[in-house]
Amino acid sequence: MPSEIKVPTVGESITEGTISRWLKDDGDYVRTGEAVLELETEKATTEIPAPASGVLHVGVREGKTVAVGSVIGQIEEGAAPPNETKKEGKKPVAADASGPKSAPRNVPAPAPRTRQEAALSPAARQLVADRAVDVAQVAGTGRGGLITKDDVLQYLGQRQPASVTDTQPPSPVAAAGQIPTLPSTNGRETRQRVSAIRQRIADRLIAAQQTAAILTTFNEADMSAVLALRAMYKEAFQKKHGVSLGFMSFFVKAVVEALRAFPVVNAWIDGNEVVYHNYFDIGVAVSTEKGLMVPVIRDAANKSFADIERQLAELAQKAREGKIAVTDLQGGTFTITNGGVFGSLLSTPILNPPQSAILGMHTIQKRAVVVDDQIVIRPMMYLALSYDHRLIDGRDAVQFLVRVKECIESPERLMLEV
């Protein structure tokens, strides 16, 4: 019996996903554990491995939303692996010195196909059917002149719109994980399906605005001490720990100290109860091509600066490569977002529900400030704390942010925990 490819359970509260793209074509030989498709959920994109070795039979096309547990394809076990190159980049298997072998027994010969079927890959055939493409106009770049999905997308991208049907949303079939975009009748617009992650981000942001009483308080921090500390120990830190000493580890540590002093900021509302957390799981917002993701540093209070920097680097890389797991994104009691990496001078971050507060970092800018009655030039950063006023009073929010400022301006506090 063939082995079924099912949509796995990828995280609590997630009941469905969207097939972003098949990494293998229908009819390809795949091996156990080899990634065959990408499943996009509201939180992350996950690669789904083949449950067995054999020939892949695609059951659900790209762009379709499928429920957890549903069958989306099959693996026909028992078929022998190919003895020649199917895809560009793989080396062909050399012929046996004894000459060609006879065909394996009990394997039926393939049924004859029409000229058009033979000229199209399975993915290209589906796209051609969806868009009513004249294949005579498409140049095939595959082996033996085979028309691939990329060839069809290239043709669609170059073709000028000829009818009103071209203004409709594009087919969900895409190459390299991208949804094809098509020009409107005047060539001034493109349309693209909203990804599951982007839709979820939009839903959560709207929900946060509608259900929480969000206020933002501001302060600024003199970054001189942190900059001096990094300059002094940057090379030694890199040499010993194999990772760069960034700003985020200082802010994660500062936030943990402030949360200890003001535990209500680390809490959230659940119905008619307030849930106080006796641990510190700090989410750090990471910008990716698929949208904003917030991987979580677990038990940040128990981690060193090097631990935090190392884990941040690993999580950020996984997020940007689309390989982050849903478990890396779940939970979190407080979030930090750094708009400063894009040059933001000041902003009002939106809460990451169900959390009650979020800290916004911004770009470091040299400004004239007064120190000991003297006007001096210092590297300053504006800090913003958005909080849910249903739970957190203004006094606690302001004092929390002052505590963060104090820790950043005197980073020795973070080492001594005072």
Side-chain angles (χ1 to χ4, degrees), residues 9-83:
T9 301
V10 291
E12 57 184 78
S13 78
I14 296 179
T15 59
E16 63 182 18
T18 301
I19 297 179
S20 176
R21 62 167 173 155
W22 284 93
L23 303 175
K24 301 292 182 180
D25 285 333
D26 187 76
D28 279 356
Y29 184 87
V30 297
R31 291 175 171 79
T32 303
E34 187 177 5
V36 293
L37 78 145
E38 287 182 351
L39 182 73
E40 183 181 87
T41 69
E42 63 190 35
K43 292 187 176 182
T45 299
T46 304
E47 290 185 349
I48 306 302
S53 296
V55 175
L56 170 67
H57 295 292
V58 173
V60 181
R61 70 179 188 177
E62 294 170 346
K64 288 292 186 178
T65 298
V66 289
V68 168
S70 60
V71 178
I72 54 179
Q74 293 182 336
I75 302 293
E76 181 185 343
E77 299 184 60
N83 61 355

Side-chain angles (χ1 to χ4, degrees), residues 1 5 58-59 168 170 189 250 253 289 301 307 315 366 404 409:
M1 291 183 61
I5 304 175
V58 173
Q168 300 302 316
E189 296 179 348
F250 287 92
K253 284 290 191 178
E289 291 183 359
D307 292 335
L315 289 172
K366 289 185 177 181
V404 172
E409 292 185 339

Side-chain angles (χ1 to χ4, degrees), residues 367-380:
R367 293 197 293 272
V369 296
V370 177
V371 178
D372 296 330
D373 294 329
Q374 299 292 321
I375 298 177
V376 296
I377 304 298
R378 293 290 176 86
M380 305 297 294

Side-chain angles (χ1 to χ4, degrees), residues 35-174:
V36 293
L37 78 145
E38 287 182 351
L39 182 73
E40 183 181 87
T41 69
E42 63 190 35
K43 292 187 176 182
T45 299
T46 304
E47 290 185 349
I48 306 302
S53 296
V55 175
L56 170 67
H57 295 292
V58 173
V60 181
R61 70 179 188 177
E62 294 170 346
K64 288 292 186 178
T65 298
V66 289
V68 168
S70 60
V71 178
I72 54 179
Q74 293 182 336
I75 302 293
E76 181 185 343
E77 299 184 60
N83 61 355
E84 63 178 4
T85 303
K86 284 200 69 177
K87 294 187 180 292
E88 184 178 354
K90 293 184 180 179
K91 295 182 180 180
V93 178
D96 188 275
S98 62
K101 297 182 179 180
S102 59
R105 298 179 180 180
N106 302 324
V107 178
R113 297 185 295 180
T114 66
R115 180 178 180 182
Q116 177 171 327
E117 289 176 333
L120 295 171
S121 72
R125 187 178 302 117
Q126 182 66 61
L127 185 55
V128 165
D130 289 342
R131 298 309 318 279
V133 173
D134 181 4
V135 293
Q137 305 297 321
V138 183
T141 61
R143 186 167 60 91
L146 181 74
I147 296 176
T148 67
K149 182 169 55 178
D150 288 340
D151 296 331
V152 180
L153 291 170
Q154 177 71 15
Y155 166 74
L156 289 172
Q158 294 177 349
R159 186 185 63 175
Q160 294 298 321
S163 65
V164 177
T165 58
D166 283 343
T167 65
Q168 300 302 316
S171 164
V173 180

Side-chain angles (χ1 to χ4, degrees), residues 186-225:
N186 58 13
R188 293 166 62 89
E189 296 179 348
T190 58
R191 290 179 179 266
Q192 188 172 10
R193 178 178 60 86
V194 178
S195 69
I197 293 176
R198 175 62 64 183
Q199 185 62 56
R200 181 58 175 169
I201 291 172
D203 292 342
R204 289 174 66 86
L205 293 180
I206 292 173
Q209 296 276 38
Q210 293 177 341
T211 59
I214 303 177
L215 291 181
T216 305
T217 184
F218 302 94
N219 212 314
E220 60 180 350
D222 185 344
M223 300 295 293
S224 298

Side-chain angles (χ1 to χ4, degrees), residues 39 143 290 294 396:
L39 182 73
R143 186 167 60 91
K290 293 181 178 291
V294 187
D396 291 328

